[in-house]
Structure formats: C-alpha cells, structure tokens
Amino acid sequence: MSSRVIVVGMPLKIYNTLSRRLEVFQPLEPGFVRMYVCGPTVYDYNHLGHGRTYVVFDALKRYLVLRGYHVKHVVNITDIDDKIIRRAREESRDWREVADEYTRDYMEVIEKLNIHVDLHPRVSDHIRDIIEFIQTLIDKGYAYTTPSGSVYFNVDMYSGYGRLSNRLDKQLWSQEQEFLSEKKNPYDFALWKAAKPGEPWWEAPWGRGRPGWHIECSVMSIRYLGKQFDIHGGGTDLIFPHHENERAQSEAALGVSPWVKYWVHVGMFTIHGDKMSKSLGNIIPLREAFRKWSPEAIRLFYLSLHYRKPQDFTEEGMRQAQSLYQRLVATVNLLNKLSKEATSLHRLEESDLEILERLLDTRRKFHKALSNDFNTAQALAAVHELTSIVFKEIQYNPRYTLVWKAYQLLREYNTVLGVLDKYFEKTGDELRTLLDEIIGVIVEVRKELRRRKEYELADRIRSELEKRGVRLMDKGLETTWVITK
C-alpha cells in the first residue's frame, strides 16, 4: 500500500445495521481500528459469493489505512461444524482432513484476490477459551445445561435481543428446531452441543461435546480485539441468527454495551438473478472463476456496486470488469512511458492548469464517494474519469507535472482498489531478480564484444559497471560478477 493520506474536512460515514442509519465513523481508540469479519466454514470450496465479502472488507480496511488509521483485521476460520462433520462422513474422511483441505482453498483464494488479513484464528485451536466463556454465561445465569450435556443461551435473560435484526416480535426468533425438546424456549440457541456417536468431542465441565456455531466468533473476536471493538462485518444472511446471537451472548458475558460499535453487512450475491444453491447447480467456485477471469477483474466486479446492495453475477458484468482492469493497466503503462518523454516546464499554460484542476477533482470525488458509506461504485467513476483525462488529453500534450500528478493519483486510488500493485510496487526480491537479469544481459553482450576482439568497448562497459558498484571478473571468455555496494 502507498503512504497514508488524511482527507481533511471530509468525515467518514458508515451505515450501522444496529442503528439503521449512517453514522460518523469514530473508532473507540483514536487512530486505531479493530475489525472482525466472519470468515469461511471450511467444508467446501469458496465461491463467488464468499469472495464479495472478503474483498469488500479488505477494500474498506485499505481505505481506513489510507485515511491514516492503523487497522487490526481478524477473520475467523470455522473448522468444526455440522457441515464439516457431514461432509467427512459422506466421504469417509476425518473431519480435520476436510477442514484442512478447504482451509487451503480459502488461503489460496485470498492470496489471489490480494487480500491481507492480520490473523485467521481457527475454532479448534480455541476450545478452552470457548469452554471458559460458556462457564461465565452459566455462572451469570444467562445459560443453562441440559441432562444430555448440551448448554443453551437463555434469550429471555437478555433484554436487547432482536434489535440488531429488527425482529422485535418473539415469534420471529425461533431457531434450531431440532433441539426444541430440551430447550426452555424455542428461540434459545446452543452454546455447546452434547457429543454424538462418531462426532468429534472435547471434555467440558457439563459433559463431552463441541461448540455451537455462534459462540466461536464471540470468543475469538474478544480474545484478539478486546472486550469492545469497532467493526463487525459479514453478509446480510448472518444478521439473524448468527450476529444477533453473538451480540446477545457477548454483551451478557462482558456486561458491556455496545460490544461492537459498528455492524457492517454486505448485500446478498446472486447468479443471473437466482440465489446460489447446489440444487440449481449455479455455484461458481472461485478456483474455477480464476481460470476464466483475472483475480483483479473479479475484485473490480465486486467493487463496481455499493456494498450494501444485492449484487447479481452476469457474464457481461465480468466482461466490463475485465475491460476496466485492462484500461487501468494501459493507463499506468502509458503514464510510465510518458514520464520518460514528458516536457518539464517552469510555466504551465491555462489549459494545463485546467487539466490539473480536473485531475484533482477526481480525487475529491473519489474520497467523497468512499467517505459516504464506502461507495466504491462512485469512486470507480472518479477513477474512470482520470483515465479519460490521461488518454484524451495528457497523452497528446504530456507535461511532466500533469503526468506525475495523474500517476500519483492512480497510485493512491489503487491503494483501495488493490489491482495494480505489481505495476506500482516491486519488492526487494523482485528488484534484485530484475537487476540480476539486466546485468546478465550486459555481461553476455560484453562477452560477444570480447569474442570479436572489440576490447575498447568491452573495457568501457567494465569501467562503467565498476563505477556503479558492479565488479566484473574475467577468466578466459567467461565472466563472473559481484555487487560491491
């Protein structure tokens, strides 16, 4: 990412699902943002719908960093769950083998999508923490055990239930119907599930079993982000019951409110207007999508629509995203070329000043869009406007000031978009490899000069390289070299 930028006088606003309104973003600790995003349940390959959530929160984090915040970004991996157990049973495999296979798929996916997460805690590594958390809820009277060895959260004990999902009628709370016979209320939810034959289990004070779904995210987010943190994210499908239950059990155990300051949710993802499902056969794993479209185009596709709106996948939409990516690549390559050819003047004409102002206006539009509930669609419109200025005007009358400003702005925009990193940033290893290759070519050319007995030119090459810290050592016609500074 590029250096941090603080946009003065432009407050960042974000929609909070809990309050159902736009709020000015002010983290609990000035300058520091703690963000937890619900990650994958690793029982199958990650698909296009998962990717949208991953990319949106990565881009949001990138923008927060651009605004000058330090961000701690945690994404859980659910590696023990009913779906994983069912998959393992169907395939006659150990549940850990299934979880490890699809965890690798997830890690490969986010690497391709240029997503960087600070920590990926796995549920199976936090069982002791989960047991201690459940015991706290039991001790405080918010949870109860059953003769079977299961533990449930008593929803009636928590007065704020339903506020996050805006389900204030108890008739809308019913969940986990398969456990009705041992629950006090149809809307109570499992914290610990009693062991069943053939399923993994751990010892707990109330009996052998494994964690329920919701408890894991409370425990791991609190462990790594503290008793209160700034952003909790996920898809809208998680608002109820998952996030509603997380909020209830966390605030009950900790005695704090709010546990999370901003609840942020990404809209549903559909395929040609239909919800993704195995019965329709329309699930597109990301590993397959990468064979047809570049990861950069997929990132741009996700960011082409406001994150809270439902997004529908179409081939045409992907073609447009691929075209946009190609246009951005062409723009940065053209700017690199023009930077070597541009005229450096001590005076700009009125027409140049007008172009410079329009370039700066794209920056105002970019930040205005992202500052208003992270509207990436409008931000991309500003980026496209910059590319048009480059292709239609700067290209035909390159002034160094304009070329350099356009380059700087595009680099800044890419800090959020994350699709042009390889064109802007070379790592130390990449630069060393490139340097080695260039020196190797020079050495081969010099070898040919020596073979032709053009010693004067060969010696000049040796001398010029020596001045720049590259020492050549000849042995016959073969040459080795070493960098001396």
Side-chain angles (χ1 to χ4, degrees):
M1 296 184 187
S2 67
S3 59
R4 294 177 180 176
V5 177
I6 298 177
V7 184
V8 179
M10 196 177 292
L12 174 60
K13 295 182 179 180
I14 196 159
Y15 184 85
N16 189 347
T17 304
L18 181 61
S19 65
R20 282 172 286 286
R21 61 183 175 86
L22 280 178
E23 297 181 9
V24 174
F25 182 76
Q26 295 178 320
L28 294 164
E29 179 183 340
F32 192 89
V33 178
R34 297 170 175 85
M35 180 170 73
Y36 183 90
V37 181
C38 285
T41 299
V42 284
Y43 73 98
D44 206 343
Y45 295 114
N46 286 263
H47 55 64
L48 279 170
H50 296 131
R52 186 187 189 195
T53 298
Y54 304 155
V55 167
V56 163
F57 284 102
D58 175 71
L60 174 58
K61 176 190 66 179
R62 286 165 170 265
Y63 187 57
L64 290 170
V65 171
L66 187 62
R67 292 284 297 243
Y69 293 103
H70 176 78
V71 182
K72 188 174 184 181
H73 182 195
V74 178
V75 177
N76 73 293
I77 294 177
T78 299
D79 64 343
I80 178 67
D81 179 83
D82 292 342
K83 294 176 180 178
I84 296 171
I85 294 168
R86 189 179 308 121
R87 184 76 178 248
R89 186 182 297 121
E90 291 170 353
E91 299 179 359
S92 299
R93 302 165 68 191
D94 186 86
W95 65 272
R96 285 163 291 207
E97 183 184 345
V98 172
D100 287 347
E101 176 184 350
Y102 296 113
T103 296
R104 286 193 296 272
D105 174 71
Y106 165 73
M107 299 304 290
E108 290 168 3
V109 158
I110 64 169
E111 182 179 5
K112 286 183 181 295
L113 289 172
N114 198 20
I115 293 170
H116 306 283
V117 175
D118 294 312
L119 182 65
H120 282 109
R122 303 203 313 178
V123 178
S124 62
D125 293 329
H126 295 79
I127 301 299
R128 181 179 298 177
D129 304 277
I130 290 171
I131 290 171
E132 291 174 357
F133 195 90
I134 293 173
Q135 188 62 58
T136 297
L137 289 169
I138 293 173
D139 294 343
K140 288 190 171 188
Y142 286 102
Y144 58 90
T145 59
T146 66
S148 70
S150 293
V151 183
Y152 293 92
F153 185 84
N154 189 341
V155 172
D156 281 342
M157 294 296 294
Y158 175 72
S159 61
Y161 198 82
R163 280 187 56 210
L164 180 62
S165 58
N166 201 27
R167 299 184 182 210
L168 304 181
D169 185 348
K170 289 186 178 182
Q171 299 298 317
L172 302 175
W173 296 352
S174 184
Q175 54 187 301
E176 300 181 357
Q177 299 299 303
E178 66 271 29
F179 303 123
L180 277 177
S181 61
E182 63 176 9
K183 296 196 296 183
K184 289 183 178 180
N185 303 296
Y187 38 77
D188 293 347
F189 56 89
L191 301 173
W192 187 261
K193 295 182 177 182
K196 294 180 181 179
E199 292 189 356
W201 54 266
W202 288 265
E203 291 283 2
W206 43 85
R208 291 176 176 177
R210 57 185 174 86
W213 175 29
H214 315 293
I215 194 69
E216 63 184 66
C217 286
S218 289
V219 170
M220 293 191 293
S221 62
I222 291 166
R223 177 177 177 83
Y224 296 108
L225 298 178
K227 292 184 177 181
Q228 290 178 292
F229 55 95
D230 303 293
I231 297 173
H232 195 319
T236 53
D237 57 318
L238 296 182
I239 297 174
F240 186 89
H242 187 48
H243 288 171
E244 192 73 74
N245 292 348
E246 276 191 68
R247 176 174 172 267
Q249 65 199 9
S250 299
E251 295 193 353
L254 301 173
V256 299
S257 183
W259 168 53
V260 171
K261 191 169 183 183
Y262 304 96
W263 290 87
V264 181
H265 292 97
V266 177
M268 293 293 291
F269 193 86
T270 57
I271 304 290
H272 300 295
D274 294 318
K275 183 177 179 180
M276 287 183 293
S277 70
K278 287 188 176 181
S279 61
L280 291 175
N282 64 352
I283 295 177
I284 304 176
L286 279 159
R287 67 203 296 262
E288 292 182 11
F290 292 144
R291 297 185 188 121
K292 191 169 185 178
W293 303 289
S294 69
E296 294 86 357
I298 294 173
R299 268 191 78 102
L300 290 171
F301 178 77
Y302 291 138
L303 299 176
S304 66
L305 191 69
H306 191 281
Y307 75 92
R308 283 196 289 121
K309 292 183 177 180
Q311 186 168 38
D312 187 49
F313 170 84
T314 63
E315 297 274 347
E316 178 57 29
M318 274 306 312
R319 281 193 290 271
Q320 290 176 5
Q322 188 71 48
S323 177
L324 174 58
Y325 173 58
Q326 292 167 349
R327 182 180 178 89
L328 292 176
V329 170
T331 303
V332 71
N333 284 335
L334 176 60
L335 289 171
N336 276 321
K337 177 176 178 289
L338 292 177
S339 68
K340 300 176 179 65
E341 305 170 354
T343 306
S344 181
L345 301 175
H346 299 288
R347 172 185 170 82
L348 293 178
E349 299 301 326
E350 289 300 320
S351 58
D352 299 325
L353 292 173
E354 189 267 339
I355 293 173
L356 180 61
E357 179 57 31
R358 285 164 54 204
L359 286 173
L360 294 174
D361 191 50
T362 69
R363 186 176 188 271
R364 285 188 284 269
K365 291 175 180 177
F366 182 82
H367 285 286
K368 182 179 180 181
L370 295 182
S371 296
N372 185 24
D373 196 25
F374 197 56
N375 193 328
T376 53
Q378 289 184 5
L380 279 174
V383 176
H384 194 277
E385 186 176 335
L386 178 141
T387 65
S388 295
I389 294 171
V390 171
F391 283 116
K392 293 180 180 179
E393 300 181 63
I394 296 177
Q395 175 178 202
Y396 299 108
N397 191 21
R399 298 283 189 263
Y400 186 81
T401 299
L402 301 180
V403 171
W404 179 236
K405 179 54 65 177
Y407 182 88
Q408 285 181 307
L409 291 174
L410 188 57
R411 184 169 187 163
E412 179 179 326
Y413 302 160
N414 181 67
T415 303
V416 179
L417 302 179
V419 296
L420 296 172
D421 292 11
K422 60 188 175 185
Y423 297 94
F424 285 118
E425 300 173 3
K426 293 279 188 184
T427 66
D429 288 343
E430 289 173 328
L431 287 173
R432 181 56 189 265
T433 299
L434 180 60
L435 178 61
D436 289 349
E437 291 173 352
I438 292 172
I439 294 174
V441 170
I442 295 172
V443 167
E444 285 300 311
V445 170
R446 181 174 174 273
K447 178 180 177 180
E448 178 63 20
L449 291 173
R450 294 174 66 221
R451 191 184 65 79
R452 296 179 183 180
K453 298 185 179 182
E454 296 183 33
Y455 298 119
E456 184 177 348
L457 189 53
D459 289 344
R460 180 180 172 188
I461 291 174
R462 178 208 282 267
S463 176
E464 291 298 323
L465 287 176
E466 182 79 24
K467 291 177 185 177
R468 290 159 176 79
V470 180
R471 180 175 299 160
L472 302 186
M473 295 162 285
D474 297 325
K475 188 174 183 180
L477 278 179
E478 297 305 314
T479 301
T480 58
W481 54 272
V482 63
I483 296 177
T484 59
K485 67 178 181 180

